């Protein structure tokens, strides 16, 4: 049974670590906006996991980043974008959303993000901005495919 987590509102990607100097030494920290959004994702993941145990073994994760088209676009262009005829090829980078989703689910949905064997990331325009994360176990039969090379 897949576990689905949805965060409404503008998705926030994983920000690069920042550095400050404490007692003459560089100390890294995560930007506040990233921390807050990751905390929201962790809370939503914890709610989705009520009554369920941590997933063990290989898992597949799908992360859908839904962005609202720019308000400056015409109604027609916005409609095309929401229908998938125009794709977002702008910042923020898609991989940073994947990193945030992995970190947000780590220790809550699965024991460790090293368990993620399949990761599918998509970035699309939508009428309502959101981040959707779906995690599910990978059945052993799925590894019997010809695309995997065995030694």
């Amino acid at each position: 049974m897949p576990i689905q987590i949805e965060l409404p509102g503008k998705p926030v990607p994983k920000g690069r670590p920042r550095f400050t100097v404490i007692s003459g030494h560089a100390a890294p920290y995560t930007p506040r906006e990233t921390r807050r959004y990751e905390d929201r994702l962790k809370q939503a993941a914890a709610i989705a996991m009520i009554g369920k145990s941590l997933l063990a073994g290989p898992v597949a994760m799908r992360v859908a980043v839904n962005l609202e088209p720019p308000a400056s676009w015409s109604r027609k262009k916005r409609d095309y974008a929401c229908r998938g005829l125009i794709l977002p090829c702008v910042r923020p980078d898609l991989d940073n959303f994947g990193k945030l989703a992995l970190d947000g689910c780590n220790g809550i949905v699965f024991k460790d993000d090293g368990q993620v064997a399949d990761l599918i990331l998509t970035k699309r325009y939508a009428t309502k901005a959101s981040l959707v994360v779906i995690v599910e176990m990978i059945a052993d039969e799925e590894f019997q495919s010809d695309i995997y090379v065995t030694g």
Side-chain angles (χ1 to χ4, degrees):
M1 187 76 178
I3 294 153
Q4 182 166 331
I5 305 153
E6 185 168 356
L7 282 179
K10 182 181 176 185
V12 175
K14 183 83 171 187
R16 293 185 184 270
R18 306 285 189 239
F19 293 88
T20 188
V21 177
I22 299 175
S23 301
H25 295 93
Y29 68 93
T30 303
R32 178 179 292 146
E33 186 180 20
T34 298
R35 250 191 353 261
R36 286 183 179 165
Y37 195 78
E38 193 172 307
D39 288 345
R40 281 185 55 208
L41 180 58
K42 286 179 180 187
Q43 290 171 350
I47 291 168
M49 290 300 291
I50 291 175
K52 300 177 181 109
S53 56
L54 287 173
L55 300 178
V59 297
M61 177 183 260
R62 290 176 283 175
V63 180
V65 179
N66 300 308
L67 305 171
E68 289 184 23
S72 61
W73 286 4
S74 69
R75 186 176 302 174
K76 183 176 180 179
K77 188 172 180 180
R78 289 173 59 88
D79 180 56
Y80 283 166
C82 291
R83 290 184 8 217
L85 301 174
I86 301 172
L87 299 177
C89 50
V90 295
R91 290 191 180 270
D93 296 347
L94 186 57
D95 64 321
N96 292 323
F97 291 105
K99 291 173 193 170
L100 184 117
L102 287 165
D103 291 346
C105 292
N106 198 26
I108 298 171
V109 177
F110 39 75
K111 292 179 182 179
D112 184 71
D113 56 3
Q115 292 172 243
V116 178
D118 292 341
L119 178 61
I120 299 171
L121 303 170
T122 59
K123 182 168 64 169
R124 299 289 188 267
Y125 287 120
T127 54
K128 301 258 187 214
S130 67
L131 178 77
V132 180
V133 178
I134 300 171
V135 183
E136 60 187 326
M137 294 293 300
I138 297 176
D140 289 337
E141 305 85 54
E142 293 182 46
F143 286 110
Q144 304 306 316
S145 171
D146 290 337
I147 64 169
Y148 294 102
V149 178
T150 57

